[in-house]
Amino acid sequence: MNKALQLLRAAQPIYNFLLNHLLAAMQTSAFAQSASDTLFGFILTIFLFVKSDIKTTLIPITILCVSSAPLCAPDRIFPVVWWIFLHLLQFDTSNQIQDVEEDAKNKPIRPLPAGRISLRHATILRWGLVPACWFISVLHSGPVLFSSVALVLFTILYNELQASRHWLTKNIVTAIGFASFEVGGMLIAGCDTLRMDAVGCLSVAISTAVFATTIHTQDFKDEAGDRLIGRTTLPIVSPQAGRASILPLLAMWSIALSFVWQLTWAGTILLLCFSSLIGVRFLLLRNRMADQTSFLLYNMWLSVVHMLPGYWRYLRYQNDPFIA
């Protein structure tokens, strides 16, 4: 026992040396340093590209696709999530190579401002993802490929052609881009990858309108970085009107969608109260941390709204001819 303890003590300096160097290596640039070539470093870098959009895009759109398609089989969920994730990564890399200065202000943990990847490598990754997205899309069907092509084009319009610089074009292009996400994911989720049924088409149309009229909720938390690069979002152009508009818009959509998807009165009241809470928060609580929390609540509301087509399809009118 004593000999074993002596060996452990003798090995302790070697262990500490290796551990310290390993930790130091893990903190260096993901592509410029040796540690970044590990699988962990690569996955972490990829994750940081999409981290802030998991709650705003990946989760709500996956919920809509699964609830509206209808989902053909449980094992279709993985290809739906993978397709949305890969296209989200394509968008996020495109977006983040445009304004590194903005991310250094708003989101310093992202790969470029954090020094995990160089601008050159990020640009290579951004354009390399385009054929990858098209390849996995064509494996499903032609319409899925069309959705992918449309999403790539709207990504270029939003980022490289700077439609995101003005709040009006930003909202419109964002809404249509989300629609491309939804159509592709919904086609993959359903049993027929060539077409969507009436419920799916209505879900995408409503979701596009909701995004176009309420997506400015995401801009309040990023106001400082947007001012830095000269972007004219609604919170900058008209902050009071932007905040005041959220409460009536969310309340209107909550009531309208409750009737469209025939939610119960109790469900309608709960959804209306939740949307009113979010609207009041945006109106009264105006610091960055409060705006981040309010936007998180908005995404929770959006996820609930995206569940409503599934509620109608599976719980209200399972045998209605409208579904066929």
Side-chain angles (χ1 to χ4, degrees):
M1 176 66 74
N2 290 334
K3 185 174 282 189
L5 289 172
Q6 290 174 357
L7 287 173
L8 286 173
R9 290 194 185 99
Q12 188 68 34
I14 300 175
Y15 168 79
N16 290 336
F17 174 84
L18 293 174
L19 180 61
N20 290 335
H21 277 71
L22 177 62
L23 292 173
M26 288 173 65
Q27 295 173 358
T28 59
S29 168
F31 281 83
Q33 303 294 330
S34 59
S36 64
D37 294 329
T38 64
L39 181 61
F40 173 78
F42 176 76
I43 292 175
L44 181 58
T45 299
I46 295 299
F47 170 75
L48 290 175
F49 268 116
V50 302
K51 176 179 177 292
S52 61
D53 286 327
I54 290 176
K55 66 179 182 294
T56 64
T57 305
L58 184 63
I59 293 175
I61 291 180
T62 299
I63 290 173
L64 182 71
C65 294
V66 169
S67 65
S68 301
L71 185 67
C72 184
D75 60 3
R76 289 290 185 98
I77 295 178
F78 176 76
V80 170
V81 173
W82 171 242
W83 189 90
I84 296 172
F85 175 84
L86 195 63
H87 286 77
L88 180 61
L89 179 61
Q90 180 268 150
F91 174 85
D92 282 337
T93 52
S94 170
N95 179 261
Q96 292 172 36
I97 63 176
Q98 306 302 317
D99 296 304
V100 180
E101 188 180 7
E102 177 198 4
D103 282 341
K105 178 72 174 179
N106 288 337
K107 303 177 180 74
I109 196 174
R110 282 180 169 177
L112 281 165
R116 296 193 60 86
I117 186 172
S118 68
L119 182 60
R120 177 175 174 271
H121 283 113
T123 304
I124 293 172
L125 176 63
R126 181 264 180 277
W127 291 109
L129 284 166
V130 172
C133 288
W134 290 348
F135 176 75
I136 69 159
S137 297
V138 77
L139 294 178
H140 293 284
S141 70
V144 176
L145 175 61
F146 294 150
S147 298
S148 179
V149 171
L151 189 48
V152 169
L153 292 177
F154 282 112
T155 296
I156 294 172
L157 179 61
Y158 185 92
N159 294 317
E160 280 80 7
L161 299 182
Q162 299 189 345
S164 62
R165 292 284 176 169
H166 190 273
W167 68 268
L168 182 60
T169 54
K170 183 178 189 289
N171 285 18
I172 293 173
V173 174
T174 299
I176 300 175
F178 274 120
S180 301
F181 270 114
E182 292 163 356
V183 170
M186 213 172 290
L187 287 169
I188 296 171
C191 294
D192 186 353
T193 58
L194 297 175
R195 70 178 188 92
M196 298 188 304
D197 66 7
V199 174
C201 292
L202 180 60
S203 299
V204 171
I206 291 174
S207 177
T208 303
V210 171
F211 276 124
T213 53
T214 65
I215 198 61
H216 60 282
T217 53
Q218 72 178 349
D219 295 328
F220 292 98
K221 61 183 176 55
D222 296 332
E223 183 179 346
D226 289 337
R227 286 186 183 275
L228 187 66
I229 63 170
R231 182 179 288 155
T232 54
T233 59
L234 196 57
I236 293 174
V237 174
S238 184
Q240 185 60 35
R243 288 186 181 275
S245 67
I246 296 173
L247 177 57
L249 284 170
L250 294 187
M252 178 198 73
W253 280 118
S254 296
I255 295 171
L257 296 181
S258 295
F259 280 99
V260 168
W261 301 118
Q262 300 184 6
L263 198 60
T264 63
W265 280 108
T268 301
I269 292 171
L270 287 174
L271 187 61
L272 181 59
C273 289
F274 187 33
S275 65
S276 299
L277 169 66
I278 299 168
V280 169
R281 279 188 58 91
F282 272 110
L283 192 60
L284 299 182
L285 306 178
R286 304 193 176 197
N287 60 72
R288 188 169 186 269
M289 289 194 65
D291 286 335
Q292 288 176 332
T293 302
S294 297
F295 184 56
L296 176 62
L297 293 173
Y298 165 81
N299 283 286
M300 293 172 62
W301 173 85
L302 190 64
S303 295
V304 172
V305 166
H306 280 174
M307 293 178 188
L308 296 183
Y311 164 82
W312 187 90
R313 187 189 289 278
Y314 297 117
L315 299 179
R316 297 289 288 181
Y317 292 100
Q318 297 184 43
N319 300 317
D320 194 285
F322 179 61
I323 297 177

